[in-house]
Amino acid sequence: SPLLAVCFAASCGVPSIALLTLAVNPLTGALGAFNIFLYTCCYTPMKRMSIANTWVGAVVGAIPPVMGWTAATGSLDAGALLLGGILYSWQFPHFNALSWGLREDYSRGGYCMMSVTHPALCRRVALRHCLALIGLSTMAPVLDVTTWTFPVISLPINLYISYLGFRFYRDADRSSSRKLFFCSLWHLPMLLLVMFSCKKSFLEKEDKGDLLSGSHGRALEIRLP
């Protein structure tokens, strides 16, 4: 029953938010609470109202890795936003390709999905975010999250999913959508594994910061009488 579902959800959600807030940090707990609110009060009702539900749902899916970053660092900085951005963009080729084969079911269920009401937009958005993954991967070393080897090593898999995104955009059939969907299943863990292996170490960042602060200190000593 709806009452049982609400009670079960509350028994999971309330202790989880409390645990994150007290045992990790308040920022991570706040992000968890916000994500539960976004999923239940915004994303879920919007499924029957507007295709904008897909964009809201992508935000919901992007927040968990941001929470992982804030749990480890206690801050919401460029690395957290980059991880969230990668998960946000990845969800569009993943879900749009999946929903393409379920258009009849969504239509019968009364759900407003791009694949049902705006099929051309569904394919365009999937391709657009496949290409966005290349740009986001390039931003990682710019933001000092990874070394420059990451965008180089990740380029082949990003190009491959972009190629399948183009095939889905051009052919608009179940075969191309299935290929894009199954590619998305291994693309994300592979991309994150490469990102992890190319990450900048905290020691390297600290040494760089110490070097800059030392140079600044010597400059001050030169200026002082």
Side-chain angles (χ1 to χ4, degrees):
S1 66
L3 178 61
L4 181 62
V6 170
C7 291
F8 178 76
S11 67
C12 294
V14 173
S16 299
I17 294 169
L19 184 64
L20 286 172
T21 303
L22 299 175
V24 183
N25 56 57
L27 177 58
T28 306
L31 285 171
F34 173 70
N35 216 25
I36 291 175
F37 168 79
L38 195 64
Y39 191 96
T40 56
C41 299
C42 299
Y43 170 58
T44 301
M46 286 179 68
K47 287 181 179 180
R48 293 182 179 272
M49 298 166 56
S50 169
I51 62 169
N53 74 81
T54 305
W55 280 269
V56 176
V59 175
V60 172
I63 289 178
V66 175
M67 293 171 64
W69 187 280
T70 60
T73 65
S75 63
L76 193 64
D77 53 19
L81 298 179
L82 178 65
L83 276 178
I86 289 174
L87 264 292
Y88 179 83
S89 283
W90 171 84
Q91 287 175 93
F92 286 95
H94 172 75
F95 178 73
N96 287 15
L98 173 65
S99 65
W100 192 261
L102 301 172
R103 285 176 294 172
E104 294 82 3
D105 294 331
Y106 280 127
S107 180
R108 284 196 298 268
Y111 289 96
C112 294
M113 297 297 173
M114 275 188 284
S115 59
V116 178
T117 60
H118 299 75
L121 178 64
C122 177
R123 303 194 309 273
R124 283 201 308 273
V125 169
L127 175 58
R128 188 182 305 155
H129 283 277
C130 285
L131 297 173
L133 289 170
I134 300 175
L136 288 167
S137 298
T138 306
M139 286 299 297
V142 175
L143 297 174
D144 206 31
V145 176
T146 69
T147 63
W148 279 99
T149 54
F150 171 62
V152 175
I153 297 175
S154 63
L155 184 60
I157 61 174
N158 284 334
L159 286 176
Y160 183 65
I161 196 171
S162 297
Y163 165 72
L164 293 180
F166 173 74
R167 288 282 303 272
F168 174 52
Y169 170 75
R170 184 190 65 184
D171 299 340
D173 57 14
R174 290 182 182 269
S175 175
S176 60
S177 67
R178 280 198 303 267
K179 289 178 180 178
L180 178 59
F181 171 73
F182 284 115
C183 174
S184 70
L185 295 180
W186 62 258
H187 173 273
L188 181 63
M190 183 71 71
L191 184 66
L192 294 179
L193 181 62
V194 173
M195 190 178 189
F196 174 76
S197 65
C198 298
K199 69 182 178 67
K200 283 282 189 73
S201 69
F202 283 108
L203 291 177
E204 184 179 348
K205 292 181 180 180
E206 288 177 359
D207 291 343
K208 183 179 178 182
D210 292 342
L211 180 62
L212 291 174
S213 62
S215 300
H216 180 64
R218 286 194 294 273
L220 288 176
E221 290 174 1
I222 292 172
R223 293 193 191 99
L224 291 175

